């Protein structure tokens, strides 16, 4: 039987770094508290798994490029009547829709929390070891165009396959040129029924012909996106705008902000 000196070497060779770190302190505890050998081994394995889980979540969070701090904990549901908390919680906590490669769409005017909610749900999915990658749609379109120019578009799309969820933030801001929107369509077609897409857009479907080059491409894109999808429409006043107004009120030392000054603020 191998001597105890060789144990840390064996554990490191097996890439059980947490167990290699903890086997000794845990042994002391096990002796003091009279753990059985099974209890001792289970405790070590548990620590190894916990540590691996935390490292994986940290890795997935970093690679996702999601906006930091935009979580469900920081989203104030009392600010928006049109968003049902249970609906958002269900999408965040039950990832079956991702396993079914379904999509999630947020529509609504600017500043109502579309990006925040997309990120919050994504952060929850990452906690469940689901890989997510967030993109500003215009930036992704540029990357895809470059890949296409380098004859690498298939490879590029293939690389995105490792993410179960791709966030296309601000789809409505993509400028319509044949080349740009064609790559966007390619992405949508590529992920159809194989990987989820979360889209945020200030443009409802009726306006998507402004995004895609021709009507048949628009129809084909919408068809694929909505075939298996949850659509959430947010009708509210911009949170940013309301924050700005309330800050203005709070900083005016109790003086009521006049409607005139509020309008000036909003316009700024
Ligand atoms: P959109 O993507 O719809 O334009 P954002 O998600 O970027 O809007 O929201 C604008 C800003 O307001 C962000 O800083 C976001 O965190 C914040 N915000 C929006 N709605 C809420 C809310 N209900 N609770 C907390 N913060 C919010
Ligand atoms: Mg946004």
């Amino acid at each position: 039987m191998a001597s105890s000196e060789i144990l840390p070497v064996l554990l490191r060779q097996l890439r059980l770094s947490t167990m290699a770190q903890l086997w000794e302190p845990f042994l002391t505890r096990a002796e003091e508290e009279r753990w059985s050998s099974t209890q001792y081994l289970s405790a070590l394995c548990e620590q190894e798994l916990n540590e691996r889980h935390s490292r994986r979540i940290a890795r997935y969070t970093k690679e996702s490029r999601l906006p930091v701090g935009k979580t469900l904990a920081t989203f104030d549901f009392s600010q928006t009547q049109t968003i049902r908390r249970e609906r958002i919680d269900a999408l965040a906590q039950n990832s079956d829709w991702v396993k079914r490669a379904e999509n999630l769409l947020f529509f609504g005017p600017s500043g109502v929390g579309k990006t925040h909610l997309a990120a919050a749900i994504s952060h929850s999915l990452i906690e469940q070891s689901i890989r997510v990658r967030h993109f500003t749609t215009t930036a992704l379109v540029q990357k895809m165009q470059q890949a296409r120019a380098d004859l690498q578009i298939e490879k590029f799309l293939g690389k995105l396959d490792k993410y179960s969820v791709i966030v296309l933030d601000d789809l409505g801001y993509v400028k319509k040129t044949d080349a740009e929107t064609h790559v966007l369509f390619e992405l949508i077609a590529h992920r159809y029924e194989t990987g989820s897409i979360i889209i945020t857009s200030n443009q409802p479907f009726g306006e998507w012909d402004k995004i895609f080059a021709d009507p048949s491409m628009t129809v084909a894109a919408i068809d694929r996106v909505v075939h298996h999808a949850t659509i959430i429409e947010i009708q509210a006043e911009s949170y940013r705008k309301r924050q700005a107004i309330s800050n203005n009120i709070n900083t005016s030392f109790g003086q009521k902000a006049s409607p005139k000054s509020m309008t000036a603020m909003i316009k700024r």
Side-chain angles (χ1 to χ4, degrees):
M1 201 153 76
S3 69
S4 63
E5 283 81 58
I6 203 165
L7 181 61
V9 181
L10 294 176
L11 289 172
R12 289 204 193 277
Q13 274 182 3
L14 287 165
R15 299 186 188 285
L16 299 166
S17 56
T18 305
M19 285 173 79
Q21 241 172 44
L22 294 179
W23 74 272
E24 231 170 350
F26 268 45
L27 191 60
T28 316
R29 229 179 110 188
E31 280 165 3
E32 279 167 12
E33 296 176 18
R34 296 175 188 281
W35 294 355
S36 68
S37 40
T38 319
Q39 274 176 313
Y40 170 65
L41 189 57
S42 306
L44 276 181
C45 291
E46 202 172 47
Q47 288 298 319
E48 180 71 44
L49 282 174
N50 287 347
E51 187 54 35
R52 277 185 193 195
H53 177 75
S54 313
R55 277 203 300 261
R56 186 166 54 237
I57 303 309
R59 204 168 60 241
Y60 286 4
T61 303
K62 191 166 177 223
E63 74 175 6
S64 71
R65 316 276 173 95
L66 282 165
V68 178
K70 305 296 177 194
T71 61
L72 286 177
T74 58
F75 193 82
D76 182 357
F77 283 89
S78 70
Q79 295 287 323
T80 19
Q81 272 89 38
T82 54
I83 307 167
R84 276 188 27 240
R85 189 187 185 126
E86 312 83 71
R87 201 168 178 212
I88 303 297
D89 281 346
L91 289 161
Q93 277 149 30
N94 183 345
S95 58
D96 286 352
W97 64 277
V98 175
K99 287 172 196 121
R100 293 192 298 264
E102 293 177 3
N103 302 322
L104 173 58
L105 289 84
F106 288 100
F107 290 132
S110 177
V112 294
K114 301 182 298 295
T115 300
H116 191 137
L117 283 173
I121 290 173
S122 299
H123 279 299
S124 299
L125 295 173
I126 289 176
E127 288 290 325
Q128 296 159 61
S129 296
I130 291 171
R131 291 175 83 174
V132 180
R133 179 71 164 89
H134 174 279
F135 290 99
T136 305
T137 313
T138 44
L140 176 62
V141 162
Q142 273 168 19
K143 276 183 207 278
M144 287 195 291
Q145 273 188 308
Q146 187 58 52
R148 166 179 277 249
D150 300 340
L151 305 176
Q152 300 283 318
I153 187 75
E154 284 305 317
K155 195 172 162 200
F156 184 88
L157 292 174
K159 269 192 183 169
L160 294 183
D161 286 346
K162 67 177 179 230
Y163 301 104
S164 303
V165 179
I166 298 284
V167 183
L168 297 182
D169 198 20
D170 278 333
L171 183 88
Y173 290 142
V174 174
K175 280 183 243 89
K176 177 172 168 171
T177 71
D178 279 1
E180 286 207 352
T181 50
H182 197 271
V183 283
L184 194 55
F185 178 76
E186 271 179 83
L187 174 74
I188 289 169
H190 181 83
R191 289 188 73 85
Y192 176 61
E193 293 191 330
T194 62
S196 295
I197 304 179
I198 299 180
I199 291 174
T200 79
S201 177
N202 58 346
Q203 312 249 40
F205 294 122
E207 306 286 313
W208 279 28
D209 56 344
K210 292 188 184 142
I211 300 171
F212 291 97
D214 62 72
S216 62
M217 197 193 276
T218 309
V219 170
I222 294 174
D223 244 20
R224 281 166 180 75
V225 166
V226 302
H227 187 193
H228 311 284
T230 301
I231 299 169
I232 295 178
E233 288 193 60
I234 309 173
Q235 280 143 15
E237 262 243 88
S238 161
Y239 183 84
R240 271 190 287 254
K241 204 198 274 181
R242 275 177 291 145
Q243 287 287 102
I245 292 170
S246 81
N247 285 346
N248 192 29
I249 293 168
N250 291 340
T251 51
S252 60
F253 301 101
Q255 284 170 7
K256 239 182 164 179
S258 71
K260 223 177 178 178
S261 68
M262 280 193 204
T263 320
M265 256 208 87
I266 296 162
K267 279 187 180 154
R268 230 181 281 156

